[in-house]
Amino acid sequence: MALGERIAHSLWGSGGGPGTAVLRAAFIPAGWIYGLGVRLRNLSPASPERLPARVISIGNLTVGGTGKTPLAAHVAAILFRAGVPVAILSRGYGRRSREDTVLVSDRERVLADPARAGDEPVWLARRLPGVPVIVGADRARSGRIAIERFGARVLVLDDAFQNRRIAKDLDIVAVDGRRPFGNGRMLPAGPLRMPKAEIARAGAIVITKLGPEDDPGPVRRMLQAMAPRARIFEGRTVAVELRDLLTGKALPLDYMRRRRVAAMCGIAEPLAFAKLLSEEGIEVAGTFPYPDHHAFAEDDVRRVRGAAHAIEAVVTTEKDAVKIDPAWARGEPPVLALVTRMEIDDEAAFAAILREAAGLGARTG
């Protein structure tokens, strides 16, 4: 975790010494100002543009990882399997390109790298062959490209709950089941990007980041009271297999069970990644966290290999793997990516909501 991220999480918590308490108090007025700005912006928003396609938005209320991009992939996959022409639109956070619009995937090929498009859009493009992925700050413009060029009938907007410029048919909000709203304060005094009362706009809520032993009941009841019109689901990240970055070969999870590995990642919650590996019976000898959306270099791989002793593999996330040149994985120990998927507790009901939003009716059969 980068220094700025560590400071932020320290300030948003309840611990720390007198100095932390002073800084925490100093940020509270800034949070009030930020929140006021959000409320004023939402008082009289411009009329949202209605695109000639159905629009499903995936988003959250807080900064940090709530699993919204894997959720966007899951939504698009359900629609694609149902035969719906679907496209994914992303802002491409962390990209270095200044291009207005980047075509990441044309259904058949991945056309952009993480520097141009951002790591998450490239991961989406690789994960979902057959689904166009377009990056751009202007979602309406990206949407028109998807409609005109690819015949998209449904647009899935990744990280767009705050976007009020496009009319939506369904807003899905991902909420961290362990820390739904952090300390309840707005940025920079807390992790909230918008007032938590805004969750009442959601048509569906997916409680994420739940471990095998976590009880979602209290969070589910709280969210139902806050958003009585929303359907609430539970989403869990499930490990599927490992993939060798050098050879591309898929390996069963049993291959690394009871073996020591180093966990290398550049995500918002590196400890959650290490915990997932441990839950699969893989012994994590060391965790090597980098800032979220970190642009990996060969030296990073070399450093982890040199710093971790008596390990049998370096394991990273799928999102990070798109930024690692397979040539860097030559040598020992091997570099593997953990392949995961999202599972929804009531998949049939979730798919029915998506079909209805897509204009297909509520039937799942």
Side-chain angles (χ1 to χ4, degrees):
M1 187 180 296
L3 178 60
E5 293 175 274
R6 291 199 299 269
I7 292 172
H9 283 278
S10 175
L11 291 173
W12 297 343
S14 57
T20 301
V22 170
L23 282 174
R24 189 177 292 132
F27 275 115
I28 290 175
W32 293 338
I33 295 170
Y34 180 90
L36 178 62
V38 172
R39 290 181 175 91
L40 290 174
R41 184 186 65 194
N42 291 338
L43 278 177
S44 56
S47 297
E49 180 176 353
R50 169 60 71 177
L51 295 173
R54 297 297 183 107
V55 175
I56 298 175
S57 162
I58 317 296
N60 62 7
L61 269 71
T62 59
V63 296
T66 56
K68 58 184 179 296
T69 299
L71 181 56
H74 190 63
V75 167
I78 290 173
L79 295 170
F80 181 74
R81 289 195 297 267
V84 178
V86 59
I88 298 179
L89 312 183
S90 171
R91 286 184 61 88
Y93 184 80
R95 66 186 178 118
R96 297 198 291 271
S97 166
R98 295 185 178 181
E99 297 171 80
D100 291 335
T101 307
V102 177
L103 180 60
V104 187
S105 167
D106 64 356
R107 285 201 186 107
E108 298 177 358
R109 299 165 296 166
V110 178
L111 303 171
D113 60 15
R116 281 190 67 206
D119 50 14
E120 290 169 342
V122 172
W123 173 76
L124 287 165
R126 292 187 182 181
R127 184 65 173 261
L128 297 167
V131 176
V133 179
I134 302 173
V135 158
D138 187 338
R139 305 292 183 98
R141 178 178 180 179
S142 298
R144 286 189 290 271
I145 293 172
I147 294 164
E148 294 165 7
R149 181 164 177 179
F150 301 106
R153 285 173 43 203
V154 178
L155 306 174
V156 175
L157 277 57
D158 184 19
D159 193 11
F161 190 54
Q162 286 76 19
N163 188 314
R164 308 292 285 267
R165 297 180 180 180
I166 297 178
K168 304 168 189 173
D169 297 281
L170 177 63
D171 263 309
I172 303 175
V173 176
V175 174
D176 186 328
R178 301 159 306 165
R179 296 183 297 274
F181 307 113
N183 62 8
R185 297 188 182 278
M186 300 287 294
L187 287 167
L192 283 171
R193 303 164 69 184
M194 62 194 318
K196 58 186 179 182
E198 290 286 330
I199 201 167
R201 293 193 287 110
I205 299 171
V206 179
I207 304 171
T208 62
K209 302 293 183 180
L210 293 169
E213 306 302 320
D214 292 330
D215 176 13
V219 175
R220 176 184 280 271
R221 289 189 291 273
M222 177 190 70
L223 293 172
Q224 194 68 77
M226 297 176 68
R229 293 181 297 175
R231 288 292 304 272
I232 299 180
F233 301 89
E234 297 161 26
R236 298 178 187 269
T237 300
V238 178
V240 177
E241 63 187 12
L242 296 159
R243 179 170 53 81
D244 189 307
L245 265 62
L246 179 61
T247 66
K249 181 181 178 181
L251 304 169
L253 291 171
D254 283 343
Y255 178 78
M256 290 308 300
R257 285 192 173 117
R258 294 176 295 281
R259 298 187 182 186
R260 289 166 54 88
V261 306
M264 179 182 75
C265 57
I267 58 177
E269 295 196 22
L271 294 182
F273 174 56
K275 183 180 179 183
L276 182 58
L277 291 172
S278 297
E279 289 170 351
E280 291 298 328
I282 299 171
E283 183 181 348
V284 180
T287 302
F288 296 82
Y290 290 83
D292 197 9
H293 304 285
H294 176 69
F296 280 91
E298 187 172 6
D299 284 347
D300 295 321
V301 178
R302 188 180 298 116
R303 169 181 170 263
V304 173
R305 276 174 162 164
H309 301 290
I311 61 170
E312 297 186 58
V314 174
V315 183
T316 191
T317 70
E318 287 182 280
K319 186 181 86 165
D320 293 313
V322 305
K323 297 173 289 188
I324 298 175
D325 189 319
W328 303 345
R330 294 186 186 279
E332 294 294 332
V335 182
L336 312 176
L338 180 68
V339 179
T340 63
R341 69 168 181 265
M342 177 165 283
E343 288 187 349
I344 305 293
D345 60 331
D346 192 342
E347 190 76 29
F350 188 68
I353 287 176
L354 298 181
R355 289 173 61 87
E356 186 173 10
L360 301 179
R363 292 181 302 168
T364 59

